[in-house]
Amino acid sequence: MSNTVGRSIFYPTSLCPSVAEYQSKVNSSGIPANSLFKAVTVNQGSAQTQNFLLSSKFRGNKLYVRKRKFAMGRLGRVAGIPHAVLTTDHASELSGKYKLNGDIELQVGVDSVAPGSMTKVDIQVSYGSDSLIMHWGVIHDRQAKWVLPSRQPDGTTVYKNKALRSPFVKSGSGFILKIEIDDPAAQAIEFLVFDEAKNKWFKNNGENFLIKLPVKERPPVKERPVHEISVPEDLVQIQAYLRWERKGKQMYNPEQEKEEYEAARKELLDEVARGISVQDLRARLTNRTSSTEGKEPSVSQIKAIPDELVQIQAFIRWEKAGKPNYSPDKKLREFEEAKKELLAELEKGASIDEIRKKITKGEIQTKVAKQLKSKNYFSVERIQRRRRDLMQLINKHVAKDLSLQDVAAPKASTLTVLERYAKEREEQNKGLVLNKKIYKLGDNDLLVLVTKDADKTKVHLAANFKMPITLHWALSRTTQGQWSVPPQSALPPGSVAVHEAAETQFQMSPSDPSSKVQTLDIEVEDDTFKGMPFVLLSGEKWIKNNGSDFYIGFDNGMKLIPQVNADGQGTAKFLLDKIAELEHEAQKSFMHRFNIAADLIDQAKDAGPKGLAGMLVWMRFMATRQLIWNKNYNVKPREISKAQDRLTDLLQNVYTSYPGYRELVRMIMSTVGRGGEGDVGQRIRDEILVVQRKNDCKGGMMEEWHQKLHNNTSPDDVVICQALIDYIDSDLDIGVYWKTLNDNGITKERLLSYDRAIHSEPNFRRDQKEGLLRDLGNYMRTLKAVHSGADLESAISNCMGYNTEGQGFMVGVQINPVSGLPSGFPELLQFVQDHIEVKDVELLLEGLLEARQELQPLLHKHQDRLRDLLFLDISLDSTVRTAVERGYEQLDNAGPEKIMYFICMVLENLALSSDDNEDLIYCLKGWDHALSMCKSKDTHWALYAKSILDRTRLALTNKAEWYQQILQPSAEYLGSLLGVERWAVEIFTEEIIRAGSAASLSTLLNRLDPVLRKTAHLGSWQVISPVEAIGYVEVVDELLAVQNKSYGQPTILVAKRVKGEEEIPDGAVAVLTPDMPDVLSHVSVRARNSKVCFATCFDPNVLANLQANKGKLLRVKPTSADVVYSVVEEDELVDAKSTQLQEDGSVPTLSLVKKQFSGRYAISSEEFTNEMVGAKSRNIAYLKGKVPTWIGIPTSVAIPFGVFEYVLADKRNQEVAEKVKFLKMSLAEGDSSILGEIRKTVLQLEAPPQLIEDLRTKMKSSGMPWPGDEGEQRWEQAWRAIKKVWGSKWNERAYFSTRKVKLDHEYLAMAVLVQEVINADYAFVIHTTNPSSGDSSEIYAEVVTGLGETLVGAYPGRALSFICKKHDLNSPQVLGYPSKPIGLFIRRSIIFRSDSNGEDLEGYAGAGLYDSVPMDEEEEVVIDYSSDPLVVDAGFRQKILSSIAHAGSEIEKLYGSPQDIEGVIRDGNLFVVQTRPQM
């Protein structure tokens, strides 16, 4: 049996300070090995909590003293429901009679008693609910705290070790509770009355009820029989403890515990019966000098040594001993030895102050032996984080999206008549639904649907009542309780005005009379009405909403948004339909909901990520109170717990068996939790929204606080919440609000210093008071749970074991600890708990992450207690998030090294919670390398860190997009089925993202970005095309969405997303974006060629200012590293237009010459001519033999111009040709959607045998491998690649680009350049004149890892970029390190490159418009730049970049003009695969 001070054998609910003090002297300690002594909190929060012997902690070389914590918050006032008064006889003079609310009456009767007998208290109440309980305790002399008596009514439970809760029992027309008190020290009973089902408290005029008990006159001791004697319970507990010690601290079962307890009581009763006073008993049991003893007390007995001095002396002894790792028993002996040494000084005549000074100077004599130090798991000041191979943390478990057609979905349930009616009405109103509710009224249902049509608000009602019903209704402009007579225009035919309202008869549905549905439609044209209160009348019976009026809001405060995803696209629709069908049953209780969820888990799992996403959406709607939690259904807590265990057990099994679903399973479990309330950290965000909406307080101070809570919740929020409660409770006295804030250290300046400042004071209405007191009181518990680490403590207890709770008094045994935990793990968790409120959150974060890392191996193994470990990991994850938010303040003046360290920790936390985390891990490795570069003062550290920052942002964007894709469709569809408020649906995915580490990480990145840009001299802009422009600002989400648009006036596009492969739309004079396309990407080349200003903005504030100028006329003036913009007048635009017209007039007209089939299907490089192939093929052939031998040129053959048209005309392809001809006719008529169909049709071409033979001959004679030698399938792969190149003539981008310059698309011919693929280590593109500055004295180049498609294609991220002066080609200057997460690699293969006659025309850059297709698919590989020599090895980098610069210089000299060159590096060797004139 464990024997610890913190885990005594006595129940925390009943253990008094005397026992605790006694134990502190004689019992051994359960303190972790890293601290000498630990605070003992035997009865935390109970009626008897005190500070006693061990009240502080030693950690390392410091003494930490726990501050006493004071509870904040109070119970809200709740109105009752009137019922008939219960009459009762209350003859006793001590009887009391109280009015609760309205006509509810409570009567108390106290029996007159004979001396020595117990007191009987009868409490009766006139109330109509069987869920009434009494929340109570007993008051002793001079004690404000409640004492819990041992004699308790049947059914009583102990509430948080602070109070008893006893149920009332039905008696006649009311309820009664009988209590018997046998405690002679009891002077009064104090209580509240609580209705559990309705969550209502009843008080006595705002105070607790207090019933005084009669004072008991005790007879002389000698005359008192034993059965009339009682002793205080605290002394019985001490006596039981002494008996337990005498018997060797045996392990007792509950029955033995009871026997021991009663035996202890009997021993004390016998002593009292023999004449021993209770005072003498107390003195003996607590080792105090009895007043009856005649010995003269010693000095040390008169004066007590303060505990803190004893602890300091114990710490000094521990230090002198070499800070050994003491056993628990040794720790306690050391404490006693320290106390003896100080008592000896006291006996010598020293005062307490003199002893304190001696301790400070180290003058207290002490004898202690130096001991060998044993290795601790961590130091007491800071844990020593274990060095780990981050590669071992990589998960490549991608959730596979199963085809829903393969899922055995149950047959869709038939829609109810009301659902059909609602669907028809929604379709008629084009889905503009403002509100929708279905009320369950016994066996009947009532549907209320509010839609918007033009300027009218329409209310559609439908009910399936068998009896005729009448609507008694009104309209409301303000609150729900307001009834205003509807205007005549809103009254349906047959309506009657009655008493400030109207009555309208329902009619049988005209569309379906057989359905027995009664309907009613109301149209309201006045927009000032906000809702409709109503009740129903059936015969003589009024039908209400649980005793209150019905109320349907017309807008719920939300903007009008069309219903989306009505068909459930992108969801496991059958599962969501099933959930909606069962929601009525699920609303009964948590037990019902969890059991239904458990029944559906298999179907969700079989549906893949979309199925689990549906479960997550449903559970989160529940957790955020969008769904009803309980509907008048009483369920025992253990029944809820059993259902919850069943659900989480099944989720645990899915987690184990399906690694790709683990992230979704964790998210579901965090919403379910162990207590049905989910992740308390996330609840801070969710519940403040609920408080605002329920109490109509969305603006002003509450909105500012809401923004702060979303951005950075902190312990200040506990004080702010308490200040609001005090303000409301003081009848809205604003002075009270400020007093609470100031008393707790929060000034107006501090409120203004938050990232989301609080400028306003609260300004509530009196009608809001009751609801706000209730909801803020509930919210306070959530805030305290987060900021005291309470949720984490619960998770730790479930894994580490916890004290027994139940009947009896013997406790202290650890129950159900998880087996197989790592060595030192308990101490690590203790460190976390000790630092949960420490101001420097860095220490806490290190402990949390080390704990998560230690847990990881266990989370990937199957074991019975995996669920508990998962909840612990989820709690650790949640605590990281809240700790980081709390730590923002300490980063305000921090340097970049500290911010980067925080980024590392948050990124590590995110990676540990993600399934497919390879990119995140490589980002983490990159940050580690950036930190080491920073510490070593590497001059490139900021430039390198900026690339890692950009890559990390891309990773966060990808994660957010995945969440949006997998979760939002289910939120939209299920939200519409369940009538969830629109605002909650709209922000669903956003709130999921904001709740995770990704949001904290993004905040940290935003803090660091300007620091890095300033250090690396990057500025706020990267100018890609430096062209001055004047135009009207237009803000768009994606450039891709407007690339084919033609603007009628000069337009400056501010585009949030630019991928790199888009066209610049007609009329656009500038494109400004926060995105990071490569300088040599297609869109960048196109912008320079079209003389369009193109730049990336890194500063979000500058970008926001640009967006705010939407619609204004701006002049944009870029330099090589900055962009200056200003608002201009219309006349400046006229001047700019005339200048532009002059420039445009100098551009020559472009035309193409139709190419003919030469009679040859394939040619060698020696045969490349202008009539046979394009410039790409001719240029590569020209280089052969003319460049230095160290520049490799790949062997090439080509399929010349005219072959495609000849093959299409072949008789075996007649059907394909006819279809292409038909499709081209549609295209000519303007139907551009047909382009994709043309490309698909081209893929149906068959190859003439002569083509196959000619190509085989040319390739083999040139020394290239022939695909057909590896089998027919390999040739088919090659043939399909050739057809894809031909078909790319009809790419959307290429087609619209040629139309803009008025090229005849019919004359566009496509040759195919055939080359062997070089499986590159790196690929590069060179511009021999710097394209950003136009400087011809320097070369600009970009390099990527793997194949060049990631550079010229639309792959996110930046390439490594550098410049090199032509007079010093051995000194490349890196401009930016790579941030592209993906590299492409391929087996030995053949690539078929497009080579049209529409590329590289004078004044028109067609390069990159058409496709180059490898025979084999490239493999996407996530790149680890921290191990890439090009990035981390300066010598290797200088060698490679210099060779690229030299190659560019040689080729430019050969052509005599600036060149655009593509090439690769393989095993250190350089190859050029194509070159063209630089545009």
Side-chain angles (χ1 to χ4, degrees), residues 737-755:
Y737 168 77
W738 284 109
K739 184 177 186 304
T740 300
L741 290 178
N742 294 334
D743 287 349
N744 289 276
I746 297 182
T747 62
K748 187 172 184 179
E749 290 72 24
R750 182 168 180 82
L751 293 175
L752 294 173
S753 71
Y754 301 139
D755 284 349

Side-chain angles (χ1 to χ4, degrees), residues 1140-1155:
Q1140 184 67 38
L1141 286 172
Q1142 293 175 10
E1143 293 177 355
D1144 289 346
S1146 63
V1147 178
T1149 304
L1150 299 178
S1151 62
L1152 295 175
V1153 177
K1154 188 174 180 65
K1155 300 293 184 180

Side-chain angles (χ1 to χ4, degrees), residues 302-313:
I302 295 172
K303 295 183 179 179
I305 299 291
D307 291 343
E308 66 269 20
L309 295 186
V310 178
Q311 293 186 337
I312 295 173
Q313 182 65 12

Side-chain angles (χ1 to χ4, degrees), residues 104-326:
I104 303 175
E105 187 172 287
L106 182 143
Q107 298 186 26
V108 182
V110 182
D111 283 355
S112 299
V113 295
S117 66
M118 65 180 63
T119 301
K120 296 183 179 180
V121 182
D122 292 347
I123 303 174
Q124 301 185 54
V125 64
S126 58
Y127 193 69
S129 171
D130 60 356
S131 58
L132 211 61
I133 63 166
M134 189 168 97
H135 181 90
W136 66 289
V138 167
I139 301 294
H140 281 187
D141 185 26
R142 298 178 184 175
Q143 292 185 1
K145 301 291 186 179
W146 289 359
V147 176
L148 310 184
S150 58
R151 187 182 295 273
Q152 302 165 3
D154 291 341
T156 297
T157 58
V158 178
Y159 178 75
K160 294 187 177 180
N161 301 332
K162 296 181 181 180
L164 298 179
R165 285 190 166 181
S166 302
F168 282 82
V169 179
K170 182 71 173 175
S171 176
S173 60
F175 292 84
I176 191 168
L177 176 62
K178 294 179 179 291
I179 298 175
E180 296 179 344
I181 303 296
D182 62 355
D183 183 356
Q187 295 190 353
I189 293 177
E190 193 171 20
F191 67 92
L192 300 163
V193 178
F194 179 50
D195 186 338
E196 285 187 302
K198 298 178 180 176
N199 194 29
K200 289 186 178 181
W201 290 89
F202 297 97
K203 288 188 172 186
N204 181 21
N205 295 321
E207 303 292 337
N208 295 347
F209 295 94
L210 184 69
I211 305 299
K212 292 185 178 180
L213 301 177
V215 179
K216 297 183 180 180
E217 301 267 345
R218 295 184 181 177
V221 173
K222 292 182 180 179
E223 299 177 5
R224 293 168 64 197
V226 172
H227 70 270
E228 294 183 1
I229 300 171
S230 65
V231 291
E233 292 297 310
D234 59 337
L235 299 186
V236 177
Q237 292 166 350
I238 296 176
Q239 183 69 6
Y241 179 86
L242 293 172
R243 286 176 56 85
W244 176 66
E245 279 195 321
R246 288 199 302 267
K247 293 188 176 185
K249 302 180 181 179
Q250 301 174 22
M251 178 81 76
Y252 290 142
N253 60 35
E255 289 300 321
Q256 290 172 320
E257 288 181 4
K258 288 182 181 179
E259 292 173 5
E260 281 295 303
Y261 196 81
E262 292 307 318
R265 185 194 300 278
K266 186 175 184 306
E267 287 177 351
L268 297 183
L269 289 173
D270 288 344
E271 291 192 60
V272 173
R274 290 195 298 270
I276 303 297
S277 70
V278 172
Q279 289 76 12
D280 289 343
L281 278 178
R282 186 178 299 280
R284 175 174 65 77
L285 292 173
T286 57
N287 288 329
R288 293 176 185 163
T289 304
S290 172
S291 59
T292 61
E293 291 179 340
K295 294 182 181 179
E296 183 178 348
S298 66
V299 174
S300 61
Q301 289 173 323
I302 295 172
K303 295 183 179 179
I305 299 291
D307 291 343
E308 66 269 20
L309 295 186
V310 178
Q311 293 186 337
I312 295 173
Q313 182 65 12
F315 177 78
I316 292 171
R317 288 177 56 84
W318 177 61
E319 278 196 318
K320 288 184 176 181
K323 300 181 180 179
N325 190 3
Y326 284 145

